[in-house]
Amino acid sequence: MRDQWEGQRDEMAPRAHHKYSKSVEQRRREVFLGIAVVGVLGVGALAGFATAGGDDADSTSIVSADETDAPDDALADIDQAIAATEQAEAAVDGDEPFVEMVDVELAGLADPDPATLEETNEQARADGGCTIEALSLRLGATGDGVTCLQNALIDAGELAGTATGEFDQATYDAVSKFQSDEDFYVDGIVGRETALGLAIWPDEESLVTRTPKPAPGAVDLWGVELSPVGSAGDDAPPLPENSGSGYRVVYDRAGQRVWAVDENERIIRSWLVSGSTYANEIPGTHQVYSRSEMSTAWNGKAYLPNMIRWLKTERGAIGFHGIPTKVATGEVYQTDDELGTRLSGGCQRQNNLDASFLWGFAPVGTTVVVL
């Protein structure tokens, strides 16, 4: 499903870190507009917004709220985001509420910038076979990963001759033909989908660090409740190398993990996400440029809570949001157990507690480092 999202409403005015330029009354009004949206969608759709707690014996510690120094405005926004669906459930049926700013997300796949693709990952395949040793390969690439690719294309009957280790025009043409034959997106780039089709993609689970489920009532360094896939402080996995500095959000595509880091380099919170099945999450340093409390998928079949966009492309936009729910039935598109696996067409799906936290942590202008 190529379900990457594009928002029609952009909030381009930058804001510094966690400082909020909107008045409290304006933010409250927007929250209640979001509630009205959910009211129109129907209580059935709220099934996807429910989050589960944890009671595992092997659990993370509870961080004292006394240790936090979160901005009051950020905590207020988090509380409002969490409360929005609860209030909508309790809403009394009446006249059709006024609704505004429900943006429709458009489909599209983004072509990554070749200049950003210095991305190696020498992970073995689960069965011990060769892999492409990278998150993507394209025209001009060289090395053992290309040799692996060429041998797979030869075995598939798409490439003649012998492997050279150079991603030349003949290799590009063979990749494109394979993609066409398999009804994949045809771009001549070997990403996850194509590599899986050729059985040369690394064992993804080996790249993911899963933390113990938090104890009931466990909170992050801002005192906000942790999701079943959340952790904080010393309990969180360490930040990857070359992940920037200062107040920021860090997203590791290989590990399907996000970190929220404050200006003192503390890991306020870290959690698993479900990112894109394609090679359209462009690495580099970005900024949050637009947000919507409630969005609709490009095909009208899904609702997306707390959309935070960080990448605009010619074909669409990519951002963080809560677990999508089906318009027709209110069912969720995935479970918490599936977080940490790539399931989306471009965006990063989060447990709704993590999506609510990020809504308060990452206003427009926040730095997003993508690895």
Side-chain angles (χ1 to χ4, degrees):
M1 177 179 64
R2 295 180 173 91
D3 55 357
Q4 182 180 330
W5 325 116
E6 164 70 271
Q8 292 180 334
R9 178 171 62 90
D10 295 344
E11 299 171 6
M12 300 302 293
R15 280 182 279 175
H17 296 331
H18 49 263
K19 303 300 182 182
Y20 287 76
S21 59
K22 295 181 181 178
S23 68
V24 172
E25 289 302 318
Q26 182 181 355
R27 282 187 281 107
R28 286 177 178 167
R29 178 174 180 272
E30 291 179 358
V31 168
F32 284 108
L33 287 173
I35 296 170
V37 170
V38 179
V40 171
L41 306 184
V43 175
L46 294 170
F49 298 163
T51 53
D55 55 5
D56 230 321
D58 187 12
S59 59
T60 60
S61 60
I62 298 177
V63 180
S64 170
D66 294 337
E67 298 175 16
T68 69
D69 57 359
D72 291 340
D73 281 352
L75 291 178
D77 275 6
I78 293 169
D79 289 341
Q80 288 172 345
I82 293 172
T85 53
E86 296 175 354
Q87 293 180 42
E89 282 183 318
V92 179
D93 292 338
D95 294 336
E96 183 174 336
F98 172 71
V99 180
E100 69 177 27
M101 296 192 301
V102 184
D103 32 332
V104 178
E105 310 293 340
L106 305 177
L109 291 174
D111 292 326
D113 181 352
T116 68
L117 292 171
E118 296 178 1
E119 38 180 329
T120 60
N121 178 7
E122 297 183 1
Q123 292 291 327
R125 219 169 60 194
D127 62 4
C130 74
T131 75
I132 62 172
E133 298 184 349
L135 295 180
S136 66
L137 291 176
R138 63 187 60 222
L139 193 64
T142 59
D144 292 342
V146 178
T147 299
C148 180
L149 165 65
Q150 290 172 328
N151 283 326
L153 290 169
I154 292 169
D155 291 343
E158 303 287 5
L159 181 65
T162 59
T164 64
E166 297 182 2
F167 199 129
D168 54 14
Q169 186 63 46
T171 305
Y172 175 91
D173 293 340
V175 169
S176 299
K177 186 176 183 301
F178 176 78
Q179 291 171 331
S180 178
D181 291 345
E182 296 296 320
D183 197 27
F184 293 160
Y185 183 73
V186 180
D187 58 4
I189 300 170
V190 181
R192 179 181 185 271
E193 182 181 50
T194 302
L196 283 173
L198 290 166
I200 54 174
W201 185 248
D203 176 19
E204 291 181 348
E205 185 60 29
S206 69
L207 311 179
V208 177
T209 301
R210 298 184 182 275
T211 55
K213 185 180 293 185
V219 297
D220 61 28
L221 298 191
W222 274 12
V224 180
E225 181 181 356
L226 288 171
S227 74
V229 295
S231 54
D234 293 338
D235 291 325
L239 282 164
E241 295 182 1
N242 303 316
S243 59
S245 62
Y247 190 96
R248 66 197 185 282
V249 177
V250 177
Y251 170 42
D252 176 23
R253 296 168 300 152
Q256 293 293 282
R257 177 169 289 276
V258 172
W259 291 260
V261 187
D262 72 3
E263 58 272 18
N264 298 314
E265 296 299 312
R266 297 188 310 162
I267 300 174
I268 302 300
R269 188 181 183 105
S270 179
W271 60 97
L272 291 176
V273 299
S274 283
S276 178
T277 60
Y278 307 103
N280 53 3
E281 299 167 319
I282 298 179
T285 300
H286 308 269
Q287 282 191 333
V288 174
Y289 72 88
S290 174
R291 313 191 327 159
S292 299
E293 287 170 345
M294 184 66 69
S295 295
T296 306
W298 67 273
N299 57 9
K301 294 183 178 181
Y303 300 128
L304 316 172
N306 295 327
M307 167 67 80
I308 300 175
R309 302 173 188 82
W310 56 267
L311 178 63
K312 177 182 283 189
T313 75
E314 292 181 356
R315 298 182 181 180
I318 288 177
F320 302 100
H321 60 71
I323 300 295
T325 57
K326 297 179 180 179
V327 170
T329 64
E331 296 174 284
V332 294
Y333 274 82
Q334 68 173 91
T335 66
D336 285 335
D337 289 340
E338 293 174 305
L339 291 166
T341 58
R342 304 164 190 250
L343 295 173
S344 85
C347 292
Q348 299 77 48
R349 302 173 180 175
Q350 310 165 98
N351 176 282
N352 288 308
L353 282 175
D354 295 318
S356 296
F357 165 82
L358 196 61
W359 185 262
F361 185 88
V364 170
T366 300
T367 296
V368 177
V369 179
V370 180
L371 302 173

